[in-house]
Amino acid sequence: MKWTWPLVLALLVAACGGSAGAPRPDATPTATATAVRTPAPPALCRSALAVRKLGRAAGPALTELSGLVRTRTGTFWTHNDSGDSARVFELGKDGAWLREVRLPGVEAVDWEDIALRGRTLYVGDIGDNLGQRKSIAVHRFAIPQGSTATVTTVELRYPDRAHDAEALLVDPRTGQLAIVTKNLGGAADVYTATRAGTLKKAATVELGIGQAVTAGDVSADGRTIVLRTYDSAYVWRKTRAQSLAAALEREPDCTAAADLLGEGQGETLALSRDGRAFYTLPEGAKPVLRRYGG
């Protein structure tokens, strides 16, 4: 139907129970009718999530996993929490051990999360249980062919005080780094990195008492962000133009219909490239690799 001003006026008057009559020849519209499209909710918000056990991550070195990402080919990269040397592990689609890659010249203080942008891995040495570190670090390196990687380390400082954090996010479009703090009070702060190596507080995420953020990820298409706690996964829709902090300033689009507490202590989450599923590995020996999604 072609919308004309006389037709719009007639419909408005008819809705009020009157007659439009003939409009003046010089009458001009003062408003236009536009259709407002509500963005579709993220796929992880649309129904209860099916859970599949894909296999176990078996290997004597895999004892306290605290970060997970999924590559374009379907393999995974992960690492241990504090107490391990500077190394990451590649796992197969079923969690099977593939290889170990060492990061020469790098110190592992308290590695907590890992992110992926293209073929570049980012390891977040961002944990600080006692809240006393003067600086934290993010180690960046291209996925190597061999058993060692050439690493660039970015040292970062908070603008206010030390914070404990377990979630590292990287914007797949811009490369922006964001760190989400861990707080049992339920208010997680989002800090973004500046060129000067100083972190800037950019947003606060209110999840509720006891909901401490233990991992997070951004889908490779840039449209979905998920932050997890020990028992829940919170999902945000992100537009291409939005920064990570701008997307996280809103309330989550949903809490995914998945109970993560039964896995054990969970500090990992990796999104599929299209954000329609996520994967987890709990801590402990021979942890089960799970996929959540429709």
Side-chain angles (χ1 to χ4, degrees):
M1 177 184 294
K2 182 178 180 181
W3 289 92
T4 63
W5 177 244
L7 177 57
V8 172
L9 184 60
L11 290 174
L12 288 173
V13 175
C16 296
S19 174
R24 299 196 321 267
D26 60 344
T28 56
T30 58
T32 56
T34 57
V36 179
R37 294 184 62 184
T38 302
L44 292 171
C45 293
R46 296 176 190 170
S47 61
L49 302 183
V51 186
R52 276 197 295 152
K53 295 181 180 180
L54 303 181
R56 288 185 178 271
L62 307 178
T63 58
E64 195 179 356
L65 300 182
S66 188
L68 188 69
V69 288
R70 185 172 184 266
T71 69
R72 180 187 295 272
T73 60
T75 64
F76 297 88
W77 287 92
T78 186
H79 58 80
N80 284 319
D81 205 330
S82 59
D84 197 11
S85 58
R87 56 182 177 172
V88 294
F89 312 102
E90 186 177 20
L91 307 179
K93 297 178 181 180
D94 59 354
W97 170 282
L98 295 181
R99 60 173 169 149
E100 173 186 316
V101 171
R102 292 191 170 271
L103 280 56
V106 171
E107 184 180 8
V109 178
D110 193 354
W111 287 13
E112 290 293 355
D113 205 4
I114 188 170
L116 177 67
R117 183 190 182 213
R119 287 189 52 80
T120 300
L121 289 167
Y122 299 74
V123 175
D125 193 343
I126 58 177
D128 189 4
N129 292 332
L130 300 179
Q132 61 184 16
R133 295 178 66 176
K134 294 181 179 179
S135 65
I136 56 176
V138 174
H139 307 295
R140 182 179 72 240
F141 55 97
I143 297 175
Q145 295 296 321
S147 60
T148 61
T150 301
V151 181
T152 298
T153 296
V154 179
E155 187 176 3
L156 299 168
R157 291 178 174 82
Y158 289 102
D160 43 10
R161 59 180 178 83
H163 294 273
D164 189 24
E166 296 190 3
L168 172 68
L169 306 176
V170 178
D171 190 313
R173 185 174 67 88
T174 66
Q176 172 74 68
L177 298 179
I179 293 169
V180 184
T181 63
K182 182 181 182 181
N183 185 346
L184 287 170
D189 291 325
V190 181
Y191 287 86
T192 55
T194 68
R195 291 183 181 272
T198 300
L199 291 163
K200 174 184 177 182
K201 185 176 177 179
T204 298
V205 180
E206 299 282 355
L207 298 179
I209 299 295
Q211 294 300 309
V213 175
T214 62
D217 200 11
V218 186
S219 60
D221 65 8
R223 297 181 180 179
T224 305
I225 303 173
V226 176
L227 297 178
R228 75 158 291 172
T229 62
Y230 290 116
D231 62 358
S232 300
Y234 298 87
V235 186
W236 283 261
R237 178 181 57 249
K238 179 186 173 299
T239 66
R240 179 176 175 80
Q242 276 183 316
S243 67
L244 296 173
L248 292 171
E249 279 181 333
R250 299 183 293 102
E251 290 188 0
D253 286 271
C254 74
T255 303
D259 183 7
L260 305 181
L261 191 59
E263 294 184 357
Q265 183 160 329
E267 298 185 4
T268 69
L269 183 141
L271 277 164
S272 63
R273 293 185 60 80
D274 59 6
R276 301 182 68 87
F278 65 80
Y279 303 80
T280 64
L281 273 170
E283 292 188 357
K286 297 182 179 180
V288 175
L289 175 64
R290 292 176 173 85
R291 179 189 186 275
Y292 293 83

